[in-house]
Amino acid sequence: MTAAAWREWARLLPPPGPSCTAEAPADAAEAAVRAVASGGDGEYVVYERAGTWYVALAPAASLTVGADRATVRAAGHSWQVPVAGRPLAAVADALAALPHGEWRAYGWAGFDLGHVLHGDPRDAGTAPLLHLLLPATEVELTPGRALIRTSGGSRAADRIAAALAHPAPAAEAVPLLADPEALVRHSPEAYQRAVARAVRDIRAGRLRKAVLSRTVLLPSGADLAACYLAGRRANTPARSYLLNAGGWRAAGFSPETVLEVTPDGRVCTQPLAGTRALGTDPGHNRLLREQLLADAKEVYEHALSVQLAVHELAGVCRPGSVRVEEFLTVRERGSVQHLASRVAGRLGDGVGAWSAFAALFPAVTASGVPKPAALRAIRRHESEPRGLYGGAVFTADAAGSLDAALVLRTVFQNGGRTWLRAGAGVVNRSTPEREWEETCEKLRSVAPHLRRCR
């Protein structure tokens, strides 16, 4: 029955449309926002990778996955498919059923998917855990150039080209917050108490590391497209994204990838753990960098993360192929600088990209060590489910590529609320005061750049 459902899904999808090129603004992020605006209020995903912005518009089909079942939508039809507690295997099967070789999928995975993959599925809740869409229209943007592909007809392509060439007058974007720093630093007590409890858990031997986060609620009125443009110009992300899909709206500047899989089977992950602030004074930044590299607590936290990444990749890669390609470098990401490493390998025979995703998700730098115990600790010590925070925004294609950005440094909208969220890695030498300060440093990557339109 499941295979028949995927065949029906594939049968209802339109074939890829023709491609055309158009001029675009030199600022590809601005071009992406213009392309999104041309599509009205429907679902979309913008994903920046390696200097190219990909824009997915007008979903031809979607797949929304929970712990037990997936909901499939295509051509006005909707039906459910059991996933038997293996949600990512269902995603892989659905995409493998597609008949043509030019598709690209876009979507997100929520943090609570991790409870199904590595913890107690009962902790995953009832909200969707993953949402994937196959667009009828895609735009690939580099500075000054757009490649438009659509099965929606020439009018859709003409509309996007016109929006890129002649944008509609934009409303003036003004700061959302009168005093971003006051909001960032508001009410430290609850978070510091949670860190203290986690440190006691660690010293009692229940786990070695847990990443605990806190939520900062924002006033209404945030314009996520304007937030994205202002934030992207001020940040140096590994990936960025802007989306309205599967009930979530988000604009973010990811510091790292959960995983990157290439068509030839190379897979890598980029754990960042260990943090200091990054300001405008080069001399002070160098001093903080030296302190970071010499800090025993930060180096220990980072090494734990790299060790788990090696172990997780070894489970899906060819024996002997896993390597630590970079170790203890420093990456500058907006308002902070991080210790960074890169672990890579070659997928084993018969192992696909989604199996690698299942092994690595959620990222160790958003969860902890060991992962099942860290998931339990997060559930105990945080005040609400994470939703998209600490999850992934991803794109995948027919050639076997899968690129997934870790969802951090992001402004979220869902259920009538708008908020930020930031966390810090807690280990046995952590102090509540320092971990609180680290969350403040990270929130400064986004809070000053929040915008609303007049």
Side-chain angles (χ1 to χ4, degrees):
M1 179 178 176
T2 301
W6 301 139
R7 288 195 297 270
E8 178 66 9
W9 185 50
R11 185 185 69 81
L12 292 172
L13 291 177
S19 299
C20 65
T21 58
E23 293 185 2
D27 184 339
E30 179 186 341
V33 169
R34 291 193 197 178
V36 164
S38 75
D41 295 327
E43 287 197 345
Y44 63 81
V45 177
V46 174
Y47 192 83
E48 176 200 358
R49 179 182 68 194
T52 299
W53 275 253
Y54 300 88
V55 183
L57 301 168
S62 68
L63 180 65
T64 304
V65 181
D68 298 317
R69 67 194 68 235
T71 301
V72 184
R73 298 178 181 87
H77 300 274
S78 176
W79 64 95
Q80 293 189 332
V81 182
V83 301
R86 301 177 65 242
L88 294 182
V91 172
D93 290 344
L95 294 175
L98 297 179
H100 55 78
E102 298 180 25
W103 59 262
R104 184 182 284 124
Y106 301 79
W108 56 259
F111 179 85
D112 292 319
L113 174 62
H115 293 295
V116 179
L117 299 174
H118 303 289
D120 187 341
R122 294 173 296 182
D123 289 337
T126 58
L129 301 176
L130 180 146
H131 182 77
L132 174 151
L133 62 87
L134 292 159
T137 299
E138 290 181 88
V139 188
E140 185 176 318
L141 294 158
T142 50
R145 180 179 181 273
L147 176 65
I148 305 169
R149 186 177 73 175
T150 180
S151 56
S154 59
R155 288 185 179 180
D158 291 345
R159 183 177 65 249
I160 293 168
L164 295 175
H166 306 290
E172 181 185 359
V174 296
L176 178 71
L177 303 175
D179 188 351
E181 187 65 13
L183 191 67
V184 163
R185 301 196 68 84
H186 178 68
S187 188
E189 295 82 10
Y191 182 77
Q192 292 183 0
R193 286 194 297 270
V195 170
R197 290 193 298 268
V199 170
R200 289 196 293 270
D201 285 347
I202 292 166
R203 291 175 179 172
R206 297 186 182 98
L207 72 164
R208 300 174 73 188
K209 172 182 174 179
V211 180
L212 295 189
S213 67
R214 65 184 179 99
T215 297
V216 177
L217 291 176
L218 299 173
S220 61
D223 182 303
L224 290 198
C227 294
Y228 176 72
L229 287 177
R232 181 61 187 86
R233 289 162 182 162
N235 274 278
T236 49
R239 303 288 188 271
S240 74
Y241 42 81
L242 174 68
L243 63 89
N244 172 19
W248 284 91
R249 293 175 180 264
F253 319 100
S254 174
E256 64 185 275
T257 54
V258 180
L259 84 166
E260 305 159 45
V261 182
T262 59
D264 63 358
R266 172 181 160 82
V267 57
C268 64
T269 186
Q270 184 189 36
L272 271 62
T275 305
R276 285 293 186 275
L278 183 68
T280 57
D281 182 338
H284 187 55
N285 289 337
R286 284 194 298 272
L287 176 62
L288 291 176
R289 176 188 177 116
E290 291 168 2
Q291 292 177 356
L292 176 61
L293 287 165
D295 189 305
K297 177 266 178 185
E298 303 286 2
V299 172
Y300 170 76
E301 177 194 344
H302 185 83
L304 275 181
S305 301
V306 174
Q307 182 183 45
L308 183 57
V310 169
H311 174 74
E312 290 175 335
L313 274 186
V316 294
C317 287
R318 297 174 190 169
S321 70
V322 176
R323 296 285 187 273
V324 179
E325 295 185 341
E326 300 175 9
F327 185 63
L328 282 183
T329 60
V330 176
R331 292 280 182 266
E332 296 182 352
R333 298 291 189 240
S335 61
V336 293
Q337 46 191 326
H338 290 294
L339 295 178
S341 295
R342 182 175 291 273
V343 184
R346 292 281 172 181
L347 291 178
D349 294 340
V351 178
W354 292 102
S355 294
F357 191 100
L360 290 163
F361 186 88
V364 59
T365 49
S367 53
V369 182
K371 198 167 282 184
L375 291 169
R376 291 193 295 272
I378 289 166
R379 193 72 165 161
R380 284 196 308 273
H381 299 312
E382 294 188 351
S383 60
E384 61 181 328
R386 288 187 171 185
L388 188 54
Y389 172 80
V393 176
F394 60 79
T395 180
D397 65 28
S401 295
L402 175 58
D403 194 273
L406 176 56
V407 178
L408 304 174
R409 319 294 193 268
T410 296
V411 53
F412 303 95
Q413 290 181 339
N414 184 280
R417 297 197 311 165
T418 303
W419 69 97
L420 305 176
R421 196 158 180 164
V426 180
V427 294
N428 61 349
R429 298 183 64 176
S430 289
T431 65
E433 296 76 17
R434 171 56 203 157
E435 303 307 345
W436 158 261
E437 191 63 39
E438 182 173 319
T439 66
C440 294
E441 293 165 357
K442 292 170 177 176
L443 287 165
R444 293 187 192 111
S445 289
V446 184
H449 316 299
L450 298 172
R451 299 289 183 268
R452 61 180 176 87
C453 291
R454 289 188 189 275

